[in-house]
Amino acid sequence: MNKIAKHLGFTDYLEVGVQGGVTFNAVDISHRDAVDPNFLFETSEFERETVRFFQMPSDEFFSRHCDKTYDLIFLDGLHTFTQCFRDFCAALQVLREGGVIVIDDTVPGDLFSSLATQDLAIAAREAHGLTGRAWTGDVFKVIPTIHNYFPNLSYVTLRNPDNPMYKPNTVLWRGQRADFHPADMDLKDIESLGYFDLPLIENLFNYMDYEDGLSLLFDSVTKP
Ligand SMILES: C[S@@+](CC[C@H](N)C(=O)[O-])C[C@H]1O[C@@H](n2cnc3c(N)ncnc32)[C@H](O)[C@@H]1O
């Protein structure tokens, strides 16, 4: 986030789904807005005129409280396809020209992560003698949806082969996809995708190694 912001001279950041503020409080951007129904830290310690906290679900924020536009929007709220796609559509409406959206957790690390709720993911791991709270839900379905229905958006899914702890995320910007070829799937087909279908749609994610993906982004997006 900081590399993107620094390179593109961004000044206004929105994070949806903030939890303990690990990312939000480390983002080096002058104006920052945070949205979460359940912050896990004392937000008043960080609040100032240019750093605002909206304790509410993202739907409420976008429909009633969002009063500005942003250069960089990080979507990391409720990890379901329906909510993440709604957050994405709302985010597009308040994304400035030359702005960037980052969607976290677009690739489940294992079958358990892709289950419908985090409780299920934890319980299913325990049932198999495993531990871990990782949960990406079915956010991955947002990628084929954007691929098929947003020809005017470009994106890459970043991964870092040198760091196995790096979770892939998808970076999007406004830009025609000259090679737009929707996959042969409608919304119902996308909705019914499961973890084991991921290899079949792997090419839709536009995977790139982290540094190469950022270079493509910087070559494609003009500074505001
Ligand atoms: C994975 S955590 C966010 C982690 C954080 N972005 C970070 O990098 O440290 C997901 C967060 O989404 C929040 N959340 C759940 N439903 C939400 C909603 N409808 N709108 C906004 N945030 C939501 C949860 O409360 C949780 O804190």
Side-chain angles (χ1 to χ4, degrees):
M1 226 69 77
N2 284 337
K3 274 194 179 179
I4 294 174
K6 190 171 176 199
H7 190 93
L8 294 171
F10 285 166
T11 57
D12 291 82
Y13 172 75
L14 170 66
E15 184 168 321
V16 172
V18 172
Q19 207 171 43
V22 173
T23 303
F24 185 80
N25 291 325
V27 167
D28 188 13
I29 297 182
S30 56
H31 292 65
R32 287 177 286 138
D33 284 349
V35 179
D36 199 305
N38 186 27
F39 290 108
L40 295 186
F41 62 109
E42 196 44 69
T43 56
S44 58
E45 286 177 18
F46 297 86
E47 197 153 30
R48 46 187 192 271
E49 203 179 317
T50 54
V51 179
R52 304 185 298 174
F53 294 90
F54 296 83
Q55 182 147 350
M56 61 189 68
S58 51
D59 288 344
E60 188 179 336
F61 170 74
F62 283 118
S63 62
R64 284 192 245 148
H65 297 271
C66 184
D67 58 1
K68 58 180 284 190
T69 56
Y70 301 92
D71 306 300
L72 182 57
I73 302 177
F74 182 37
L75 298 181
D76 193 15
L78 187 62
H79 288 157
T80 64
F81 170 43
T82 307
Q83 185 63 57
C84 182
F85 185 54
R86 197 158 53 232
D87 290 345
F88 168 74
C89 292
L92 265 185
Q93 308 300 315
V94 295
L95 184 71
R96 290 184 187 154
E97 273 313 306
V100 172
I101 295 177
V102 178
I103 308 179
D104 202 28
D105 294 313
T106 47
V107 185
D110 59 21
L111 171 64
F112 304 112
S113 286
S114 72
L115 296 178
T117 67
Q118 187 166 29
D119 286 348
L120 262 182
I122 294 167
R125 279 194 189 94
E126 277 173 13
H128 287 80
L130 301 166
T131 55
R133 300 182 53 81
W135 178 58
T136 56
D138 58 355
V139 167
F140 69 88
K141 296 174 188 170
V142 169
I143 302 307
T145 308
I146 292 168
H147 178 87
N148 271 16
Y149 295 97
F150 292 81
N152 52 354
L153 291 181
S154 296
Y155 63 89
V156 287
T157 300
L158 302 180
R159 51 185 174 193
N160 186 347
D162 299 329
N163 179 2
M165 297 303 286
Y166 185 91
K167 291 183 300 157
N169 45 51
T170 302
V171 178
L172 308 97
W173 62 94
R174 290 196 185 93
Q176 296 295 133
R177 261 182 285 147
D179 60 345
F180 179 62
H181 288 300
D184 187 16
M185 286 188 285
D186 62 19
L187 281 173
K188 274 197 185 134
D189 297 327
I190 293 172
E191 181 102 57
S192 62
L193 288 168
Y195 178 76
F196 293 110
D197 297 313
L198 278 168
L200 305 175
I201 56 166
E202 178 159 334
N203 62 322
L204 307 188
F205 284 73
N206 298 337
Y207 282 112
M208 286 186 92
D209 287 353
Y210 168 75
E211 294 292 352
D212 294 340
L214 285 185
S215 295
L216 175 65
L217 171 72
F218 298 153
D219 287 346
S220 310
V221 174
T222 325
K223 283 186 188 184

